């Protein structure tokens, strides 16, 4: 084997290693692009899950709404009837006792708060 051939082989090997590293880097990039896109729809939907409820009582003075609600998985609550704080007064104006609604309840600073309420 001549010295020249040895150098050529060594360079060829070096080049192919380089090529492998390049394609691995490209795969990483593709993986990084995929993850946020694959994650966000699931995160968005779990954040916006609504639970069936029925309005039992509205107290505009205190901003409290008593709901008979289904399981609220995000706050670890089984179905029950209880009073919740409404996030805003506009929510109370549209609501009426006896309405069947879909709600999103979240723990806001330690207070179970109705953050979304839609009439069914
Ligand atoms: Cu409850």
């Amino acid at each position: 084997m001549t010295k020249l051939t040895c150098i050529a082989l060594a360079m060829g090997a070096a080049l192919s290693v380089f090529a492998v590293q390049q394609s691995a880097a490209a795969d990483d990039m593709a993986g990084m692009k995929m993850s946020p896109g694959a994650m966000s729809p699931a995160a968005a939907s779990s954040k916006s899950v609504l639970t069936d409820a029925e309005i039992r009582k509205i107290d505009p003075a205190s901003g409290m709404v008593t709901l008979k609600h289904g399981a609220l998985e995000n706050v670890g609550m089984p179905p029950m009837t209880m009073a919740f704080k409404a996030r805003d007064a506009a929510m109370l104006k549209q609501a009426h006792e006896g309405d069947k609604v879909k709600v999103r309840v979240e723990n806001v600073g330690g207070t179970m708060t109705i953050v979304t309420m839609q009439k069914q």
Side-chain angles (χ1 to χ4, degrees):
M1 204 181 276
T2 66
K3 198 178 181 185
L4 205 64
T5 313
C6 271
I7 291 167
L9 283 171
M11 282 183 70
L15 279 172
S16 60
V17 166
F18 182 70
V20 168
Q21 283 172 346
Q22 284 289 297
S23 72
D27 285 349
D28 283 351
M29 295 283 279
M32 283 169 67
K33 259 188 184 171
M34 289 276 295
S35 331
M39 296 286 289
S40 50
S45 66
S46 75
K47 268 220 150 191
S48 58
V49 168
L50 299 177
T51 301
D52 288 347
E54 189 182 318
I55 299 176
R56 287 300 171 87
K57 190 166 177 279
I58 298 169
D59 184 353
S62 63
M64 299 296 283
V65 179
T66 302
L67 296 177
K68 180 186 176 194
H69 67 79
L72 300 166
E73 286 176 21
N74 63 308
V75 292
M77 205 180 273
M80 69 179 85
T81 299
M82 63 180 280
F84 292 96
K85 183 95 187 156
R87 185 165 68 173
D88 54 64
M91 210 178 255
L92 298 181
K93 284 181 188 158
Q94 296 162 5
H96 305 93
E97 287 171 19
D99 279 356
K100 291 200 185 298
V101 293
K102 283 183 177 290
V103 295
R104 173 73 181 175
V105 171
E106 288 177 8
N107 185 339
V108 178
T111 303
M112 290 301 169
T113 306
I114 303 168
V115 297
T116 304
M117 188 159 70
Q118 296 171 1
K119 204 164 177 175
Q120 285 192 35

